[in-house]
Amino acid sequence: MSNSGSACNGQPSQAPSLSSVPGHGQPLWLLAELTYKCPLQCPYCSNPLDFAEVGAELTTEQWLDVFRQGRELGAVQLGFSGGEPLVRQDLIELITGAHKMGYYTNLITSGVGLNEGKIAGLHEAGLDHIQVSFQAADPEVNNLLAGSEKAFKQKLKMAREVKAQGYPMVLNFVTHRHNIDRIDRIIELGVELEADYVELATCQYYGWAFDNIKQLLPTHEQLKRAERITNQYREQLAAAGNPIKLIFVTPDYYEERPKKCMNGWGQVFLTVTPDGTALPCHSARMLPIEFPNVIDMPLQKIWDESSGFNHFRGDSWMEEPCLSCDEKEKDFGGCHCQAYMLTGDMHNADPVCAKSEHHELILSARAMAETVAGNPADLLYRNERNSRIITTDRLLKFSRD
């Protein structure tokens, strides 16, 4: 799979000259997407639609070298994700190596493929934190979205085991129109599992979720109700002395100002994909920018000098209304992936912003959510078969064009 592309006018995209790029921070957070392999088929997965065509995965030694280089750059937190990172047979070795280097390590997992012995092994290797993801609080919806009849039972068992073995209990629920009306049950499940943190992350529309937006985007009323119930639970739990933290994440599509892209493009966050492509955010692979690979270029040079990481640093890339906006230092123009997906030009202001000339696209999506039923039967599931079909369709369209 190519990591390069063309801008909307058919010409290669150009990054600002390095002389115009201001000083930037260090990559404090390193996300290692170890593999795109996964036993589940979540229709809102953030992996690229054409993940099945990505090349060979980095070897154990190559990953350990990436970790070493990351520490030299100042990275302190290392996340292991995928796909499902438990698929990697060298996960313990990678965690052991990262722990010895001084990282705070975090495993982001579905819990599928985990067992008591593996959790003990992760603990012994020095893993600091495990986040277990759920699709819903009831087995039917959870298993429907996961594409597995055994997923919910396994997740419950492993969440309890994670807690029993001394890890902080961190649960993640991606909410959308098919489970957000049961936000009360989701919170109650978190309480039952003695969670320390429950992230109620309303689906963000990138990757597979963007192709499934008609089936997943909740209505504004659903969202307001869910937030109201979450606030009620916060008050009740605090009054009862329960220290659980409920983190409610609103989807971009119901905001009037965009979020700051990864706390600033190429400022603190660095992702390395399974084949070694380095990205300033986990969705950036979709953009018509040539991103470097850790096999071909040292991480320090990637971070400081590559055109991919310098492309949206500073404000020389900005056009109106961003360039003269008094909020540009807060949001840096918003999400470039969102701008690209919705307008076809990554340099446009994020359409989430009410100042954007394309904000009507967001308003139309909200209106669509009010009128479209969102049938689960119409979901496009994330799996290799669908990924290959999507890739083939893209190639055919490209050849016709």
Side-chain angles (χ1 to χ4, degrees), residues 242-253:
N242 191 319
I244 187 173
K245 299 291 188 298
L246 304 179
I247 304 167
F248 190 92
V249 183
T250 304
D252 291 356
Y253 277 57

Side-chain angles (χ1 to χ4, degrees), residues 1-2 47-55 208 211 380 383-400:
M1 174 177 137
S2 174
N47 287 168
L49 292 168
D50 53 359
F51 74 87
E53 299 302 314
V54 173
W208 293 80
D211 274 35
L380 176 69
N383 54 48
E384 287 202 10
R385 177 179 178 276
N386 285 336
S387 178
R388 295 188 190 284
I389 290 172
I390 289 167
T391 303
T392 300
D393 288 346
R394 282 181 177 176
L395 290 173
L396 289 173
K397 181 178 184 301
F398 179 78
S399 64
R400 288 196 298 268

